[in-house]
Coordinates of all heavy atoms in Angstrom, one line a residue:
M1 N -4.2 -14.0 -17.1 CA -3.2 -12.9 -17.2 C -3.8 -11.5 -17.1 O -3.3 -10.7 -16.4 CB -2.4 -13.1 -18.5 CG -1.3 -12.1 -18.6 SD -0.1 -12.3 -17.4 CE 1.1 -11.0 -17.9
L2 N -4.9 -11.3 -17.9 CA -5.5 -10.0 -17.9 C -6.1 -9.7 -16.5 O -6.0 -8.5 -16.0 CB -6.6 -10.0 -18.9 CG -7.3 -8.6 -19.1 CD1 -6.3 -7.6 -19.5 CD2 -8.4 -8.7 -20.2
K3 N -6.6 -10.7 -15.8 CA -7.1 -10.4 -14.4 C -6.0 -10.0 -13.5 O -6.2 -9.1 -12.7 CB -7.8 -11.7 -13.9 CG -8.5 -11.5 -12.6 CD -9.1 -12.8 -12.2 CE -9.8 -12.7 -10.8 NZ -10.5 -13.9 -10.4
F4 N -4.8 -10.6 -13.6 CA -3.7 -10.3 -12.8 C -3.3 -8.8 -13.1 O -3.0 -8.1 -12.2 CB -2.5 -11.2 -13.1 CG -1.3 -10.9 -12.3 CD1 -1.2 -11.1 -11.0 CD2 -0.2 -10.3 -13.0 CE1 0.0 -10.7 -10.2 CE2 0.9 -9.9 -12.3 CZ 1.0 -10.2 -10.9
V5 N -3.2 -8.4 -14.4 CA -2.8 -7.1 -14.7 C -3.8 -6.1 -14.1 O -3.5 -5.0 -13.6 CB -2.7 -6.9 -16.2 CG1 -2.5 -5.4 -16.6 CG2 -1.6 -7.7 -16.8
Y6 N -5.1 -6.4 -14.2 CA -6.2 -5.5 -13.7 C -6.0 -5.3 -12.2 O -6.0 -4.2 -11.7 CB -7.5 -6.0 -14.0 CG -8.7 -5.3 -13.4 CD1 -9.0 -4.0 -13.8 CD2 -9.3 -5.8 -12.2 CE1 -10.0 -3.3 -13.2 CE2 -10.3 -5.1 -11.6 CZ -10.7 -3.8 -12.1 OH -11.6 -3.1 -11.5
L7 N -5.8 -6.5 -11.5 CA -5.7 -6.4 -10.0 C -4.4 -5.6 -9.6 O -4.4 -4.9 -8.7 CB -5.6 -7.8 -9.5 CG -6.9 -8.6 -9.5 CD1 -6.7 -10.0 -9.0 CD2 -8.0 -7.9 -8.7
T8 N -3.3 -5.8 -10.4 CA -2.1 -5.1 -10.1 C -2.3 -3.6 -10.3 O -1.9 -2.8 -9.4 CB -1.0 -5.6 -11.0 OG1 -0.8 -7.0 -10.7 CG2 0.3 -4.9 -10.6
A9 N -3.0 -3.2 -11.3 CA -3.2 -1.8 -11.6 C -4.1 -1.2 -10.5 O -3.9 -0.1 -10.1 CB -3.9 -1.6 -13.0
T10 N -5.2 -1.9 -10.1 CA -6.1 -1.3 -9.1 C -5.3 -1.2 -7.7 O -5.6 -0.3 -7.0 CB -7.3 -2.2 -8.9 OG1 -7.0 -3.5 -8.6 CG2 -8.2 -2.1 -10.2
Q11 N -4.5 -2.2 -7.4 CA -3.7 -2.1 -6.2 C -2.7 -0.9 -6.2 O -2.6 -0.2 -5.2 CB -2.9 -3.4 -5.9 CG -3.8 -4.5 -5.6 CD -3.1 -5.8 -5.5 OE1 -1.9 -5.9 -5.8 NE2 -3.8 -6.9 -5.1
T12 N -2.1 -0.6 -7.4 CA -1.2 0.5 -7.5 C -2.0 1.8 -7.3 O -1.5 2.7 -6.6 CB -0.5 0.5 -8.9 OG1 0.2 -0.7 -9.0 CG2 0.4 1.7 -9.0
V13 N -3.2 1.9 -7.9 CA -4.0 3.1 -7.8 C -4.4 3.3 -6.3 O -4.4 4.4 -5.7 CB -5.2 3.1 -8.7 CG1 -6.2 4.2 -8.4 CG2 -4.7 3.2 -10.1
A14 N -4.8 2.2 -5.6 CA -5.2 2.3 -4.2 C -4.0 2.8 -3.4 O -4.2 3.6 -2.5 CB -5.7 0.9 -3.8
M15 N -2.8 2.3 -3.6 CA -1.7 2.8 -2.9 C -1.4 4.2 -3.1 O -1.0 5.0 -2.2 CB -0.4 1.9 -3.2 CG -0.5 0.5 -2.7 SD -0.9 0.4 -0.9 CE 0.5 1.2 -0.2
L16 N -1.5 4.7 -4.4 CA -1.3 6.1 -4.7 C -2.4 7.0 -3.9 O -2.0 8.0 -3.4 CB -1.4 6.3 -6.2 CG -0.1 5.9 -6.9 CD1 -0.4 6.0 -8.4 CD2 1.1 6.6 -6.5
Y17 N -3.6 6.5 -3.9 CA -4.6 7.3 -3.2 C -4.3 7.3 -1.7 O -4.5 8.4 -1.1 CB -6.0 6.7 -3.5 CG -6.6 7.0 -4.8 CD1 -7.6 6.2 -5.3 CD2 -6.2 8.1 -5.5 CE1 -8.2 6.4 -6.6 CE2 -6.8 8.4 -6.8 CZ -7.8 7.5 -7.3 OH -8.3 7.8 -8.5
S18 N -3.9 6.2 -1.2 CA -3.6 6.2 0.3 C -2.4 7.1 0.6 O -2.4 7.8 1.6 CB -3.2 4.7 0.7 OG -4.4 3.9 0.5
F19 N -1.4 7.1 -0.3 CA -0.3 8.0 -0.1 C -0.7 9.4 -0.2 O -0.3 10.2 0.7 CB 0.8 7.7 -1.2 CG 1.9 8.7 -1.2 CD1 2.9 8.6 -0.2 CD2 2.0 9.7 -2.1 CE1 4.0 9.5 -0.2 CE2 3.0 10.6 -2.1 CZ 4.0 10.5 -1.1
L20 N -1.5 9.8 -1.2 CA -2.0 11.2 -1.3 C -2.8 11.6 0.0 O -2.6 12.7 0.5 CB -2.8 11.4 -2.5 CG -2.0 11.3 -3.8 CD1 -2.9 11.4 -5.0 CD2 -0.9 12.4 -3.9
L21 N -3.6 10.7 0.4 CA -4.4 11.0 1.6 C -3.5 11.2 2.8 O -3.7 12.1 3.6 CB -5.4 9.8 1.9 CG -6.3 10.0 3.2 CD1 -7.1 11.2 3.1 CD2 -7.1 8.7 3.4
A22 N -2.5 10.3 3.0 CA -1.6 10.5 4.1 C -0.8 11.8 4.1 O -0.6 12.5 5.1 CB -0.6 9.3 4.1
M23 N -0.4 12.2 2.9 CA 0.3 13.5 2.7 C -0.6 14.7 3.0 O -0.2 15.7 3.6 CB 0.9 13.6 1.4 CG 2.0 12.6 1.1 SD 3.4 12.7 2.3 CE 3.1 11.3 3.4
V24 N -1.9 14.6 2.7 CA -2.8 15.7 3.0 C -3.1 15.7 4.5 O -3.2 16.8 5.1 CB -4.1 15.5 2.2 CG1 -5.2 16.4 2.7 CG2 -3.9 15.7 0.7
L25 N -3.3 14.5 5.1 CA -3.6 14.5 6.5 C -2.4 14.8 7.4 O -2.5 15.3 8.5 CB -4.1 13.1 6.9 CG -5.4 12.7 6.4 CD1 -5.8 11.2 6.7 CD2 -6.5 13.6 6.9
Y26 N -1.2 14.6 6.9 CA 0.1 14.8 7.7 C 1.0 15.6 6.9 O 2.1 15.1 6.5 CB 0.7 13.4 8.1 CG -0.3 12.6 8.9 CD1 -0.9 11.5 8.2 CD2 -0.6 12.8 10.2 CE1 -1.8 10.7 8.9 CE2 -1.5 12.0 10.9 CZ -2.1 11.0 10.3 OH -3.0 10.2 11.0
P27 N 0.8 17.0 6.8 CA 1.7 17.8 6.0 C 3.1 17.9 6.6 O 4.0 18.1 5.9 CB 1.0 19.2 6.0 CG 0.0 19.1 7.2 CD -0.4 17.7 7.4
E28 N 3.2 17.7 7.9 CA 4.6 17.7 8.5 C 5.4 16.6 8.0 O 6.6 16.7 7.8 CB 4.5 17.7 10.1 CG 3.9 16.5 10.7 CD 2.4 16.4 10.7 OE1 1.7 17.3 10.3 OE2 1.9 15.4 11.2
A29 N 4.8 15.4 7.8 CA 5.5 14.3 7.2 C 5.9 14.6 5.8 O 7.0 14.2 5.3 CB 4.7 13.0 7.3
Q30 N 5.0 15.2 5.0 CA 5.3 15.6 3.7 C 6.5 16.5 3.6 O 7.4 16.4 2.8 CB 4.1 16.2 3.0 CG 4.3 16.6 1.6 CD 3.1 17.4 1.0 OE1 2.1 17.6 1.6 NE2 3.3 17.7 -0.3
K31 N 6.5 17.5 4.5 CA 7.6 18.5 4.5 C 8.9 17.8 4.8 O 9.9 18.1 4.2 CB 7.3 19.6 5.6 CG 8.4 20.6 5.8 CD 8.4 21.6 4.7 CE 9.4 22.7 5.1 NZ 10.6 22.7 4.3
R32 N 8.9 16.9 5.8 CA 10.1 16.2 6.2 C 10.6 15.3 5.1 O 11.8 15.2 4.8 CB 9.9 15.3 7.5 CG 11.1 14.7 8.0 CD 10.8 14.0 9.3 NE 12.0 13.1 9.6 CZ 12.0 12.3 10.6 NH1 10.9 12.2 11.4 NH2 13.0 11.5 10.8
A33 N 9.7 14.6 4.4 CA 10.1 13.8 3.2 C 10.7 14.6 2.1 O 11.7 14.3 1.5 CB 8.9 13.0 2.8
Q34 N 10.0 15.8 1.8 CA 10.6 16.6 0.8 C 11.9 17.2 1.1 O 12.8 17.3 0.3 CB 9.6 17.8 0.5 CG 10.0 18.7 -0.6 CD 9.9 17.9 -2.0 OE1 8.9 17.3 -2.3 NE2 11.0 17.9 -2.7
D35 N 12.1 17.5 2.4 CA 13.4 18.0 2.9 C 14.5 16.9 2.7 O 15.6 17.2 2.3 CB 13.4 18.5 4.3 CG 12.6 19.8 4.5 OD1 12.3 20.4 3.5 OD2 12.2 20.1 5.6
E36 N 14.1 15.7 3.0 CA 15.1 14.6 2.9 C 15.5 14.4 1.4 O 16.7 14.2 1.1 CB 14.5 13.3 3.4 CG 15.4 12.1 3.4 CD 14.8 10.9 4.0 OE1 14.0 10.3 3.4 OE2 15.2 10.6 5.2
I37 N 14.5 14.4 0.5 CA 14.8 14.3 -0.9 C 15.7 15.5 -1.4 O 16.6 15.3 -2.1 CB 13.5 14.2 -1.7 CG1 12.8 12.9 -1.4 CG2 13.8 14.3 -3.2 CD1 11.4 12.8 -2.0
D38 N 15.3 16.7 -1.0 CA 16.0 17.9 -1.5 C 17.5 17.8 -1.0 O 18.4 18.2 -1.7 CB 15.4 19.1 -1.0 CG 14.0 19.4 -1.7 OD1 13.8 18.8 -2.8 OD2 13.3 20.2 -1.2
A39 N 17.7 17.4 0.3 CA 19.1 17.3 0.8 C 19.9 16.3 0.0 O 21.1 16.5 -0.2 CB 19.0 16.9 2.3
L40 N 19.3 15.2 -0.4 CA 20.0 14.2 -1.2 C 20.3 14.6 -2.6 O 21.4 14.4 -3.1 CB 19.3 12.9 -1.2 CG 19.9 11.7 -2.0 CD1 21.2 11.2 -1.3 CD2 18.9 10.6 -2.2
T41 N 19.3 15.2 -3.3 CA 19.4 15.5 -4.7 C 19.8 16.9 -5.0 O 20.1 17.2 -6.2 CB 18.1 15.2 -5.4 OG1 17.1 16.0 -4.9 CG2 17.7 13.7 -5.2
E42 N 19.8 17.7 -4.0 CA 20.1 19.2 -4.2 C 19.2 19.8 -5.2 O 19.7 20.7 -6.0 CB 21.6 19.4 -4.4 CG 22.4 18.9 -3.3 CD 23.9 19.0 -3.6 OE1 24.3 19.3 -4.8 OE2 24.7 18.7 -2.7
R43 N 18.0 19.3 -5.3 CA 17.0 19.9 -6.3 C 17.4 19.8 -7.7 O 16.9 20.5 -8.6 CB 16.6 21.3 -5.9 CG 15.9 21.4 -4.6 CD 15.4 22.9 -4.4 NE 14.3 22.9 -3.5 CZ 13.0 22.9 -3.9 NH1 12.7 22.8 -5.1 NH2 12.1 23.0 -3.0
G44 N 18.4 19.0 -8.0 CA 19.0 18.9 -9.4 C 18.6 17.7 -10.2 O 18.8 17.6 -11.4
R45 N 17.9 16.7 -9.5 CA 17.6 15.5 -10.2 C 16.5 14.8 -9.5 O 16.1 15.1 -8.4 CB 18.8 14.5 -10.4 CG 19.3 14.1 -9.0 CD 20.6 13.2 -9.2 NE 21.1 12.8 -7.9 CZ 20.7 11.7 -7.3 NH1 19.8 10.9 -7.8 NH2 21.3 11.4 -6.1
I46 N 15.9 13.7 -10.1 CA 14.9 12.9 -9.5 C 15.6 11.7 -8.8 O 16.5 11.2 -9.3 CB 13.9 12.4 -10.6 CG1 13.2 13.6 -11.2 CG2 12.9 11.4 -10.0 CD1 12.3 13.2 -12.4
P47 N 15.1 11.4 -7.6 CA 15.8 10.2 -6.9 C 15.5 8.9 -7.7 O 14.5 8.8 -8.3 CB 15.0 10.2 -5.5 CG 14.3 11.4 -5.4 CD 14.1 12.0 -6.8
T48 N 16.5 8.0 -7.6 CA 16.4 6.7 -8.3 C 16.3 5.6 -7.2 O 16.5 5.9 -6.0 CB 17.6 6.5 -9.2 OG1 18.8 6.4 -8.4 CG2 17.7 7.6 -10.3
L49 N 16.2 4.4 -7.6 CA 16.2 3.3 -6.7 C 17.5 3.2 -6.0 O 17.5 2.7 -4.8 CB 15.8 2.0 -7.4 CG 14.3 1.8 -7.8 CD1 14.1 0.5 -8.6 CD2 13.5 1.8 -6.5
R50 N 18.6 3.6 -6.6 CA 19.9 3.5 -5.9 C 20.0 4.5 -4.7 O 20.8 4.3 -3.9 CB 21.0 3.8 -6.9 CG 21.3 2.7 -7.8 CD 22.4 3.0 -8.8 NE 21.8 3.1 -10.1 CZ 22.1 4.0 -11.0 NH1 23.1 4.8 -10.9 NH2 21.4 4.0 -12.2
D51 N 19.1 5.5 -4.7 CA 19.1 6.4 -3.6 C 18.3 5.9 -2.4 O 18.3 6.6 -1.4 CB 18.5 7.8 -4.1 CG 19.4 8.4 -5.1 OD1 20.6 8.4 -5.0 OD2 18.8 9.0 -6.1
R52 N 17.6 4.8 -2.6 CA 16.7 4.4 -1.5 C 17.3 4.2 -0.2 O 16.8 4.5 0.9 CB 16.0 3.1 -2.0 CG 14.9 2.7 -1.0 CD 14.0 1.6 -1.6 NE 13.0 1.2 -0.6 CZ 12.2 0.3 -0.8 NH1 12.2 -0.4 -1.9 NH2 11.3 0.0 0.2
E53 N 18.5 3.7 -0.2 CA 19.2 3.5 1.1 C 19.6 4.8 1.8 O 19.8 4.8 3.0 CB 20.5 2.6 0.9 CG 21.5 3.3 0.0 CD 22.7 2.4 -0.3 OE1 22.5 1.2 -0.5 OE2 23.8 2.9 -0.3
H54 N 19.6 5.9 1.1 CA 19.9 7.2 1.6 C 18.6 8.0 2.0 O 18.7 9.1 2.4 CB 20.7 8.0 0.7 CG 22.0 7.3 0.3 ND1 23.0 7.1 1.2 CD2 22.4 6.8 -0.9 CE1 24.0 6.5 0.5 NE2 23.7 6.2 -0.7
L55 N 17.5 7.3 1.8 CA 16.2 8.0 2.1 C 15.4 7.2 3.1 O 14.3 6.6 2.8 CB 15.4 8.1 0.8 CG 16.0 9.0 -0.3 CD1 15.3 8.9 -1.6 CD2 16.0 10.5 0.2
P56 N 15.9 7.1 4.4 CA 15.2 6.2 5.3 C 13.8 6.7 5.7 O 12.9 5.9 5.9 CB 16.1 6.3 6.6 CG 16.9 7.6 6.4 CD 17.0 7.8 4.9
F57 N 13.5 8.0 5.7 CA 12.2 8.5 6.1 C 11.2 8.1 4.9 O 10.1 7.7 5.2 CB 12.2 10.0 6.3 CG 10.9 10.5 6.9 CD1 10.5 10.1 8.2 CD2 10.0 11.3 6.1 CE1 9.3 10.6 8.7 CE2 8.8 11.7 6.7 CZ 8.5 11.4 8.0
I58 N 11.6 8.3 3.7 CA 10.8 7.9 2.6 C 10.4 6.4 2.6 O 9.3 6.0 2.4 CB 11.4 8.2 1.2 CG1 11.7 9.7 1.1 CG2 10.6 7.7 0.0 CD1 10.5 10.6 1.1
D59 N 11.4 5.6 2.9 CA 11.2 4.1 3.1 C 10.2 3.8 4.2 O 9.4 3.0 4.0 CB 12.6 3.5 3.4 CG 12.6 2.0 3.1 OD1 12.0 1.6 2.0 OD2 13.2 1.2 3.8
C60 N 10.3 4.6 5.3 CA 9.4 4.4 6.4 C 8.0 4.8 6.0 O 7.0 4.1 6.4 CB 9.8 5.2 7.6 SG 11.2 4.5 8.4
I61 N 7.8 5.8 5.2 CA 6.5 6.3 4.7 C 5.9 5.2 3.8 O 4.7 4.8 4.0 CB 6.6 7.6 3.9 CG1 6.9 8.8 4.9 CG2 5.3 7.9 3.1 CD1 7.1 10.1 4.2
I62 N 6.7 4.6 3.0 CA 6.2 3.5 2.1 C 5.7 2.3 2.9 O 4.6 1.8 2.7 CB 7.2 3.1 1.1 CG1 7.5 4.3 0.1 CG2 6.8 1.9 0.3 CD1 8.7 4.1 -0.8
K63 N 6.5 1.9 3.9 CA 6.1 0.8 4.7 C 4.9 1.1 5.6 O 4.0 0.3 5.8 CB 7.3 0.4 5.7 CG 8.4 -0.2 4.9 CD 9.6 -0.5 5.9 CE 10.7 -1.1 5.1 NZ 11.9 -1.3 6.0
E64 N 4.8 2.4 6.0 CA 3.6 2.8 6.8 C 2.3 2.8 6.0 O 1.3 2.4 6.4 CB 3.8 4.2 7.5 CG 2.7 4.6 8.3 CD 2.4 3.8 9.5 OE1 3.2 2.9 9.9 OE2 1.3 4.0 10.1
I65 N 2.4 3.2 4.7 CA 1.3 3.2 3.8 C 0.8 1.8 3.6 O -0.4 1.5 3.7 CB 1.6 3.9 2.5 CG1 1.9 5.3 2.6 CG2 0.5 3.6 1.5 CD1 0.7 6.2 3.1
F66 N 1.7 0.8 3.5 CA 1.3 -0.6 3.3 C 0.6 -1.1 4.6 O -0.3 -1.9 4.6 CB 2.5 -1.5 3.0 CG 2.7 -1.5 1.5 CD1 3.8 -0.8 0.9 CD2 2.0 -2.3 0.7 CE1 4.0 -0.8 -0.4 CE2 2.2 -2.3 -0.7 CZ 3.2 -1.6 -1.2
R67 N 1.1 -0.6 5.8 CA 0.5 -1.1 7.0 C -0.8 -0.4 7.3 O -1.8 -1.0 7.7 CB 1.5 -0.8 8.2 CG 1.0 -1.3 9.5 CD 1.6 -0.6 10.7 NE 1.2 0.8 10.8 CZ 0.1 1.2 11.4 NH1 -0.8 0.3 11.8 NH2 -0.2 2.5 11.4
W68 N -0.9 0.9 7.0 CA -2.0 1.8 7.4 C -3.2 1.5 6.4 O -4.4 1.5 6.9 CB -1.6 3.2 7.3 CG -2.6 4.3 7.6 CD1 -3.3 4.4 8.7 CD2 -3.0 5.3 6.7 NE1 -4.1 5.5 8.7 CE2 -3.9 6.1 7.4 CE3 -2.7 5.7 5.4 CZ2 -4.6 7.2 6.9 CZ3 -3.3 6.8 4.9 CH2 -4.2 7.6 5.6
A69 N -2.9 1.3 5.2 CA -4.0 1.1 4.2 C -3.6 0.1 3.2 O -3.2 0.4 2.0 CB -4.3 2.4 3.5
P70 N -3.6 -1.2 3.5 CA -3.1 -2.3 2.6 C -4.0 -2.3 1.3 O -5.2 -2.0 1.4 CB -3.3 -3.6 3.4 CG -4.1 -3.2 4.6 CD -4.1 -1.8 4.8
P71 N -3.4 -2.5 0.2 CA -4.1 -2.5 -1.1 C -5.0 -3.7 -1.3 O -5.8 -3.7 -2.2 CB -3.0 -2.4 -2.1 CG -1.9 -3.1 -1.5 CD -1.9 -2.8 0.0
T72 N -4.9 -4.7 -0.5 CA -5.7 -5.9 -0.7 C -6.5 -6.1 0.7 O -6.0 -5.7 1.7 CB -4.9 -7.1 -1.0 OG1 -3.9 -7.3 0.0 CG2 -4.2 -7.0 -2.3
P73 N -7.6 -6.8 0.6 CA -8.3 -7.0 1.8 C -7.5 -7.9 2.8 O -6.8 -8.8 2.3 CB -9.6 -7.7 1.4 CG -9.7 -7.6 -0.1 CD -8.3 -7.3 -0.6
I74 N -7.6 -7.6 4.1 CA -6.9 -8.4 5.1 C -7.6 -9.8 5.2 O -7.0 -10.8 5.2 CB -6.9 -7.7 6.4 CG1 -6.1 -6.4 6.3 CG2 -6.3 -8.6 7.5 CD1 -4.7 -6.6 6.0
G75 N -8.9 -9.8 5.3 CA -9.7 -11.1 5.4 C -10.2 -11.4 4.0 O -10.9 -10.7 3.4
M76 N -10.0 -12.6 3.6 CA -10.5 -13.1 2.3 C -11.8 -13.8 2.5 O -11.9 -14.6 3.4 CB -9.4 -14.0 1.6 CG -8.1 -13.3 1.4 SD -8.2 -11.9 0.3 CE -8.4 -12.7 -1.3
L77 N -12.7 -13.6 1.6 CA -14.0 -14.3 1.6 C -13.7 -15.7 1.1 O -13.0 -15.9 0.2 CB -15.0 -13.6 0.8 CG -15.5 -12.3 1.3 CD1 -16.4 -11.7 0.2 CD2 -16.1 -12.3 2.6
V78 N -14.3 -16.7 1.8 CA -14.2 -18.1 1.4 C -15.5 -18.6 0.9 O -16.5 -18.4 1.5 CB -13.7 -18.9 2.5 CG1 -13.6 -20.4 2.1 CG2 -12.4 -18.4 3.0
E79 N -15.6 -19.2 -0.3 CA -16.8 -19.7 -0.8 C -17.0 -21.1 -0.5 O -16.1 -21.9 -0.6 CB -16.8 -19.5 -2.4 CG -18.1 -20.0 -3.0 CD -18.1 -19.7 -4.5 OE1 -17.4 -18.8 -4.9 OE2 -18.7 -20.5 -5.2
C80 N -18.1 -21.4 0.1 CA -18.4 -22.8 0.4 C -18.8 -23.6 -0.8 O -19.7 -23.1 -1.6 CB -19.6 -22.8 1.5 SG -20.1 -24.4 2.0
I81 N -18.2 -24.7 -1.0 CA -18.5 -25.5 -2.2 C -19.3 -26.7 -2.0 O -19.7 -27.4 -2.9 CB -17.2 -25.9 -3.0 CG1 -16.3 -26.7 -2.1 CG2 -16.5 -24.6 -3.5 CD1 -15.1 -27.2 -2.8
S82 N -19.6 -27.0 -0.7 CA -20.5 -28.1 -0.4 C -21.1 -27.9 1.0 O -20.8 -27.0 1.7 CB -19.7 -29.4 -0.3 OG -18.7 -29.4 0.7
V83 N -22.1 -28.8 1.3 CA -22.7 -28.6 2.6 C -21.9 -29.5 3.6 O -21.6 -30.6 3.4 CB -24.2 -29.2 2.5 CG1 -24.9 -29.1 3.9 CG2 -25.0 -28.4 1.5
F84 N -21.6 -28.9 4.7 CA -21.0 -29.6 5.8 C -21.4 -29.0 7.1 O -22.0 -27.9 7.1 CB -19.5 -29.6 5.6 CG -18.8 -28.2 5.7 CD1 -18.3 -27.7 6.9 CD2 -18.8 -27.4 4.6 CE1 -17.8 -26.5 7.0 CE2 -18.2 -26.1 4.7 CZ -17.7 -25.7 5.9
S85 N -21.2 -29.7 8.1 CA -21.7 -29.2 9.4 C -20.6 -29.1 10.4 O -19.6 -29.9 10.4 CB -22.8 -30.1 10.0 OG -22.3 -31.4 10.2
I86 N -20.7 -28.2 11.2 CA -19.8 -28.0 12.4 C -20.7 -28.1 13.6 O -21.9 -27.6 13.5 CB -19.1 -26.6 12.3 CG1 -18.2 -26.5 11.0 CG2 -18.3 -26.3 13.5 CD1 -17.6 -25.2 10.8
P87 N -20.3 -28.6 14.7 CA -21.2 -28.7 15.8 C -22.0 -27.4 16.0 O -21.4 -26.3 16.1 CB -20.3 -29.0 17.0 CG -19.1 -29.7 16.4 CD -19.0 -29.1 15.0
D88 N -23.3 -27.5 16.1 CA -24.3 -26.4 16.3 C -24.4 -25.5 15.1 O -24.9 -24.4 15.3 CB -23.9 -25.6 17.6 CG -23.9 -26.5 18.8 OD1 -24.7 -27.4 18.9 OD2 -23.1 -26.2 19.7
R89 N -23.8 -25.8 14.0 CA -23.9 -25.0 12.8 C -24.1 -25.8 11.5 O -23.6 -26.9 11.4 CB -22.7 -24.1 12.6 CG -22.5 -23.2 13.8 CD -21.5 -22.1 13.4 NE -20.9 -21.3 14.4 CZ -21.5 -20.5 15.3 NH1 -22.8 -20.3 15.2 NH2 -20.8 -19.9 16.2
L90 N -24.8 -25.3 10.5 CA -24.9 -25.9 9.2 C -24.5 -24.9 8.2 O -25.1 -23.8 8.2 CB -26.3 -26.4 9.0 CG -26.6 -27.1 7.7 CD1 -25.8 -28.4 7.6 CD2 -28.1 -27.4 7.5
I91 N -23.6 -25.2 7.3 CA -23.2 -24.3 6.3 C -23.6 -24.9 4.9 O -23.3 -26.0 4.6 CB -21.6 -24.1 6.3 CG1 -21.2 -23.6 7.7 CG2 -21.1 -23.3 5.2 CD1 -19.8 -23.4 7.9
N92 N -24.3 -24.1 4.2 CA -24.8 -24.5 2.9 C -24.0 -23.9 1.7 O -23.6 -22.7 1.8 CB -26.3 -24.2 2.7 CG -27.2 -25.0 3.6 OD1 -27.0 -26.2 3.7 ND2 -28.2 -24.3 4.2
A93 N -23.8 -24.6 0.7 CA -23.2 -24.1 -0.5 C -24.1 -23.2 -1.2 O -25.3 -23.3 -1.2 CB -22.8 -25.3 -1.4
P94 N -23.6 -22.1 -1.9 CA -24.4 -21.2 -2.7 C -25.1 -22.0 -3.8 O -24.6 -22.9 -4.4 CB -23.5 -20.2 -3.2 CG -22.1 -20.7 -3.0 CD -22.2 -21.8 -2.0
Q95 N -26.3 -21.5 -4.1 CA -27.1 -22.2 -5.2 C -26.7 -21.7 -6.5 O -26.5 -20.6 -6.9 CB -28.6 -22.0 -5.0 CG -29.1 -22.5 -3.6 CD -29.0 -24.0 -3.6 OE1 -29.1 -24.7 -4.6 NE2 -28.8 -24.6 -2.4

């Protein structure tokens, strides 16, 4: 359980760093997103999850961050647990 909590926390931090990097690299996207939020909330409140359907650009930014910089590795390492052979190759288990 503790390992799961640790992994979840590190993935959240990785996504926040990726978001911040994207906003620094693309200030025009940050301005457009801020304008969308301001138009919806009129600078009087913080958006909630109920507002998500009215924030399509913000939704697209979130999806793009997951595509652009996924929080988990795309290719997973596989550990060999025994010796086996594939034609022209021999794979040994770690010692």
Side-chain angles (χ1 to χ4, degrees):
M1 177 67 176
L2 185 59
K3 185 177 181 180
F4 176 74
V5 171
Y6 173 76
L7 291 174
T8 303
T10 57
Q11 291 172 353
T12 301
V13 170
M15 290 306 298
L16 287 173
Y17 284 157
S18 298
F19 173 77
L20 292 174
L21 177 62
M23 293 300 102
V24 168
L25 292 175
Y26 303 102
E28 66 280 357
Q30 179 185 2
K31 174 79 170 110
R32 184 173 169 189
Q34 186 65 54
D35 291 343
E36 185 177 76
I37 292 170
D38 290 344
L40 178 70
T41 63
E42 298 175 352
R43 294 184 157 268
R45 62 182 178 88
I46 296 174
T48 64
L49 284 175
R50 283 181 251 144
D51 294 323
R52 189 170 178 183
E53 64 188 36
H54 303 293
L55 298 168
F57 190 70
I58 300 294
D59 199 40
C60 288
I61 288 175
I62 293 167
K63 289 177 183 176
E64 181 62 15
I65 294 296
F66 275 104
R67 187 202 65 81
W68 181 58
T72 57
I74 298 295
M76 300 298 286
L77 295 176
V78 177
E79 183 177 329
C80 179
I81 57 173
S82 64
V83 177
F84 63 96
S85 64
I86 298 175
D88 299 328
R89 299 197 196 291
L90 179 65
I91 300 175
N92 291 318
Q95 301 293 329

